[in-house]
Amino acid sequence: SLTFPVFCAEEFLGNPRVWTIAYGFTFSNIVCRLMINQMSHTRCELIEPPLIPLFIAWFLSVVLQIAPDIVITVYSVIAMFSFVHYCYVVVNDLCDHLNICAFSITHKRR
């Protein structure tokens, strides 16, 4: 994943914010997954799901020579939505388990 900016250095220097957002959301997602796995005493996956689209984006840009700035922009949107979706699912699962509503002090009505 670190070879992506090396092979696409011109595009990386042209718009580093998109690259930072893409990598930030990707690795934040992985860290959250690792924390949830640690707290629930479950095994971590060998290949984390957020890394699969990153590999596809790398393959499209570096190997197939598709425009890296477009690929990384699309990937950053996908990474952002996958992180928000994962957080939403985790919060809802915890709320269901604890029988509470998110961002509320009262219990759920039955």
Side-chain angles (χ1 to χ4, degrees):
S1 68
L2 295 177
T3 61
F4 202 178
V6 172
F7 287 112
C8 305
E10 190 174 300
E11 289 81 6
F12 176 73
L13 294 175
N15 199 357
R17 290 185 186 121
V18 175
W19 294 77
T20 305
I21 288 171
Y23 279 97
F25 276 112
T26 299
F27 291 109
S28 295
N29 195 340
I30 291 171
V31 167
C32 286
R33 288 174 184 269
L34 292 175
M35 287 180 357
I36 296 296
N37 287 340
Q38 180 66 30
M39 289 189 301
S40 62
H41 301 291
T42 57
R43 296 190 66 118
C44 299
E45 298 175 9
L46 182 60
I47 298 175
E48 291 292 331
L51 290 179
I52 296 170
L54 180 62
F55 175 73
I56 292 170
W58 176 84
F59 184 78
L60 290 174
S61 293
V62 174
V63 177
L64 298 181
Q65 298 294 319
I66 297 175
D69 52 347
I70 295 172
V71 171
I72 198 66
T73 303
V74 170
Y75 173 72
S76 65
V77 170
I78 291 170
M80 180 183 64
F81 281 122
S82 70
F83 179 67
V84 170
H85 172 72
Y86 182 73
C87 291
Y88 176 78
V89 168
V90 167
V91 168
N92 279 339
D93 286 348
L94 285 172
C95 287
D96 288 342
H97 178 73
L98 298 173
N99 196 24
I100 60 173
C101 295
F103 308 111
S104 177
I105 299 175
T106 60
H107 286 281
K108 284 185 181 178
R109 293 184 183 173
R110 294 177 191 214

